[in-house]
Amino acid sequence: MKLKNRSPANFVGRTIIYRHQAWKIESVLGDTIHLSKPGLDHKGRLQLHQFADCRLFPTCGEVFIQYRRLVRALGRVCKLSESEAVGAVRGMITTGSYYMDSEAIALLGGSANAMSLAWRGRHKRGR
């Protein structure tokens, strides 16, 4: 999810994606954003003007709110549970089209194939 004209101070403690890498925002001091790698000892810094190039690593709740109809379609057409459908959409946003979180998504060929099936099957409900 793209960050547009938002203050980085509101996202302290959240994970962002910058240049295809996940970083956790530790603190914001002036025009410098201090970052750390989740699970590693790497530290980093961003300038305030670079924050516009970042994307927010979405939580499951945010994915469900923003893509509610897609989650329902994945559940109805592809027979995925709600958590699997949210995981497929979240994986597609953060990782890419070949994201295979669960066995059900892997059997469908990845998150992109699951979404393609849900998109094609959206009108076949009444048949």
Side-chain angles (χ1 to χ4, degrees):
M1 297 179 348
K2 193 77 171 162
L3 297 168
K4 295 180 181 175
N5 299 328
R6 296 185 184 174
S7 172
N10 297 336
F11 298 106
V12 172
R14 293 286 306 267
T15 304
I16 60 170
I17 301 170
Y18 179 67
R19 293 188 178 173
H20 307 290
Q21 294 182 7
W23 294 90
K24 183 178 180 183
I25 298 177
E26 293 294 328
S27 63
V28 179
L29 300 171
D31 62 344
T32 304
I33 304 165
H34 296 276
L35 307 168
S36 68
K37 278 278 200 186
L40 301 172
D41 291 333
H42 298 297
K43 302 288 181 189
R45 287 187 214 169
L46 275 180
Q47 296 300 319
L48 200 56
H49 69 278
Q50 293 172 312
F51 189 66
D53 297 333
C54 297
R55 291 182 296 134
L56 184 64
F57 198 91
T59 63
C60 291
E62 291 170 344
V63 168
F64 182 73
I65 289 169
Q66 187 166 357
Y67 300 101
R68 186 176 300 128
R69 291 174 61 192
L70 178 59
V71 169
R72 278 197 313 247
L74 284 167
R76 189 179 63 244
V77 176
C78 299
K79 307 295 186 221
L80 297 177
S81 68
E82 184 177 294
S83 62
E84 288 174 334
V86 168
V89 175
R90 185 174 183 231
M92 180 77 172
I93 293 169
T94 57
T95 306
S97 60
Y98 296 106
Y99 182 75
M100 297 182 197
D101 182 37
S102 67
E103 184 178 353
I105 296 170
L107 288 173
L108 292 169
S111 56
N113 285 348
M115 287 180 215
S116 176
L117 287 170
W119 180 254
R120 283 184 290 186
R122 71 191 185 282
H123 294 298
K124 295 180 183 179
R125 185 174 169 186
R127 291 181 187 177

